[in-house]
Amino acid sequence: MKNGTCWLDDSGNLIQAHGGMIAKFGEKWYWYGENKEFTNGKNGIWHWGVRLYTSTDLYNWEDKGLIIQPDENDVTSPLHPAYCVDRPHILFCKKTGKYVAWLKVMAGEISQFFTVMEADAFEGPYTFVQKVYHPLQMDSGDFCFYTDEATQKAYIWFERPHFQLICATLNEDYTAL
C-alpha cells in the first residue's frame, strides 16, 4: 500500500466504500460503505447504494456488488440517491440469526434519522424494518455500536446533531432502542 494513491479492488476499479466499516465474520473481512461511483457534486446523487468488498488479507479486496440497492424510482424512499445515506453499520444478532443494517439518512436541513434493515446473510438482500426511525423521538447524527459478546446486549451511541451525545441499549433483535 502506498499513501496518497487510489486503492483499487481486484478488478482494478476504485473501491467505493465511503463512510464505511470493516468487520470480520469467520475468516473473511467485509468492507462496506456508501457507493459514490455516480456522485459528482453536480448531479444531485449523494449515493448509489451500499457496496460490499471481501478480503482474507486486508489488502486484496473482491467487489461483491451492492448489498443495499438505491431506490431511484421513489423520491420518498430513504434509499433514493438524492437522500444523504451516510455511514452504514451492520451488526449480527445471534438471537435472530439476522444481519441488521443501520443507515444514517439526512433529509436536507430539516431532518436526520435512521433507516433500519435486515437480512439473512451479510451480502443481503436487505429489507426494511423501519424506513424512518427517530430514536427517542430525536433527530440522529453520527453513530457507533458496541456489542457485549458475553451478554449479547448491543448499545448505540448517537449524536443529536451538533448538540448532544446519547447512549442507549438496543432491543433484543437490534432493530430499535
Side-chain angles (χ1 to χ4, degrees):
M1 286 182 247
K2 292 183 181 179
N3 288 333
T5 61
C6 294
W7 205 342
L8 306 177
D9 66 20
D10 62 339
S11 297
N13 298 312
L14 286 173
I15 291 177
Q16 297 289 338
H18 302 267
M21 298 285 295
I22 295 176
K24 187 175 185 187
F25 294 100
E27 296 302 312
K28 195 179 285 189
W29 292 92
Y30 295 82
W31 184 4
Y32 58 94
E34 307 153 38
N35 179 25
K36 301 275 194 183
E37 68 183 311
F38 301 119
T39 304
N40 65 17
K42 299 174 187 169
N43 59 7
I45 295 174
W46 177 268
H47 75 97
W48 200 260
V50 175
R51 186 171 289 282
L52 172 66
Y53 299 85
T54 60
S55 176
T56 56
D57 61 10
L58 291 174
Y59 179 74
N60 298 292
W61 292 93
E62 180 182 355
D63 182 359
K64 302 304 257 183
L66 296 177
I67 59 172
I68 297 176
Q69 301 287 331
D71 187 352
E72 61 185 308
N73 297 319
D74 181 358
V75 295
T76 66
S77 171
L79 297 179
H80 188 275
Y83 276 86
C84 299
V85 170
D86 206 14
R87 300 185 188 358
H89 288 61
I90 300 174
L91 301 163
F92 179 68
C93 181
K94 284 186 180 177
K95 179 176 177 159
T96 63
K98 302 269 187 189
Y99 291 88
V100 183
W102 286 63
L103 311 172
K104 174 182 132 186
V105 180
M106 295 174 282
E109 299 290 321
I110 300 170
S111 178
Q112 293 186 37
F113 55 88
F114 291 121
T115 291
V116 183
M117 305 176 82
E118 66 182 6
D120 293 325
F122 196 96
E123 295 85 357
Y126 285 84
T127 58
F128 287 111
V129 175
Q130 299 193 68
K131 280 189 175 184
V132 177
Y133 179 52
H134 290 276
L136 307 173
Q137 289 76 47
M138 298 179 203
D139 275 3
S140 51
D142 290 340
F143 67 109
C144 191
F145 291 106
Y146 170 74
T147 304
D148 183 329
E149 291 299 320
T151 65
Q152 289 304 298
K153 283 189 176 184
Y155 303 88
I156 185 172
W157 282 262
F158 69 94
E159 67 160 345
R160 290 179 66 191
H162 313 293
F163 174 66
Q164 188 176 37
L165 183 64
I166 308 293
C167 178
T169 306
L170 295 182
N171 64 7
E172 290 185 346
D173 62 8
Y174 300 173
T175 60
L177 275 58

